[in-house]
Amino acid sequence: MKVDIRKAYDTVSHPWMLAELPINRKVLKGWLKAGILEKGHFKHTPMGVPQGGPISPTIFNCVMNGVEQKVLSHKGCFLIRYADDLVVFAPSIEPMENIMKDIKEFIKPRGMEINEEKTRIASIEEGMDILGFNLREYYDVGRTKNPKMKTKRGIVLSKPSKDAIQRFKQKLKGIFKKHQKGNAYALIKELNPVIRG
């Protein structure tokens, strides 16, 4: 199940963070209330975590600490998460409703809610996108014919997601277009960090 939290960074509660996070309160409050300067216009930040900075995912990971125990309390279930990206794995569909309820209860005091429209349950054979990668089980004839692997139908692979590949292609296209009439050195200098990631 891919869990989507509705506007997670924008809605997370400042009072909850200031009361619960193990971070210097003065520093955290200053950072949270600093506001955002975008295209010369200043915006106050009465709630939420400013996005784009290197500290944002770290703070959000701290906010979500403990959600693992909620999922692990269901037999055979686990999750992969980074900041607001959560993918829950279970041996069957049955525990998903209870896990969803537990996650809702966990994030409610933090000022957040689940986006029901974007949250989806899928089998591992269909695959699931997380952090630019697609996790999916692919049929493997060698495993199905091996008597020692009775429960294994295939092999789980992690590949770049279609969206991530498309974004990467668009980025490369933009760089090539920018340097269409330039020299090769400038093109290579800009391409190398993108290709290396």
Side-chain angles (χ1 to χ4, degrees):
M1 169 173 63
K2 169 84 163 127
V3 180
D4 187 83
I5 301 171
R6 191 187 309 276
K7 296 184 177 178
Y9 279 90
D10 298 334
T11 58
V12 64
S13 165
H14 284 189
W16 186 90
M17 284 191 281
L18 291 166
E20 300 293 331
L21 293 184
I23 300 169
N24 181 297
R25 303 288 181 267
K26 189 177 177 184
V27 172
L28 180 61
K29 188 175 183 178
W31 182 74
L32 291 173
K33 303 293 184 187
I36 300 167
L37 189 63
E38 191 175 9
K39 295 180 182 175
H41 298 289
F42 180 79
K43 291 181 193 173
H44 289 283
T45 50
M47 61 183 193
V49 176
Q51 291 184 59
I55 197 73
S56 303
T58 305
I59 294 289
F60 209 87
N61 272 326
C62 291
V63 168
M64 293 303 288
N65 277 346
V67 75
E68 297 87 356
Q69 282 69 36
K70 297 285 182 187
V71 174
L72 291 171
S73 67
H74 299 272
K75 191 177 179 185
C77 301
F78 66 97
L79 87 154
I80 297 173
R81 81 168 173 93
Y82 178 74
D84 66 325
D85 289 305
L86 300 165
V87 176
V88 177
F89 294 90
S92 67
I93 201 165
E94 283 78 35
M96 288 302 185
E97 194 175 311
N98 289 330
I99 291 171
M100 183 75 101
K101 195 171 90 176
D102 288 349
I103 293 172
K104 282 180 184 177
E105 287 172 11
F106 180 82
I107 65 174
K108 190 176 181 181
R110 292 158 172 80
M112 299 178 290
E113 60 182 35
I114 287 177
N115 186 342
E116 303 278 353
E117 298 83 44
K118 289 188 178 178
T119 296
R120 72 179 195 99
I121 297 172
S123 68
I124 193 71
E125 290 88 0
E126 291 175 62
M128 192 71 63
D129 287 351
I130 182 167
L131 301 170
F133 288 89
N134 179 269
L135 299 174
R136 183 175 162 201
E137 184 177 48
Y138 292 87
Y139 181 74
D140 182 359
V141 74
R143 286 172 181 253
T144 53
K145 289 186 176 179
N146 186 341
K148 291 179 183 173
M149 296 185 169
K150 289 176 185 170
T151 59
K152 295 277 187 183
R153 291 186 304 277
I155 187 164
V156 176
L157 296 177
S158 172
K159 296 181 176 181
S161 69
K162 288 179 182 175
D163 289 343
I165 291 169
Q166 197 57 40
R167 284 194 304 270
F168 185 72
K169 284 180 176 179
Q170 289 300 323
K171 196 169 191 175
L172 290 180
K173 193 175 180 179
I175 292 169
F176 277 107
K177 198 170 185 176
K178 179 179 163 186
H179 293 282
Q180 212 167 16
K181 294 178 182 167
N183 64 30
Y185 176 78
L187 172 65
I188 292 166
K189 189 176 177 183
E190 194 169 343
L191 274 178
N192 277 341
V194 174
I195 292 167
R196 281 195 304 264

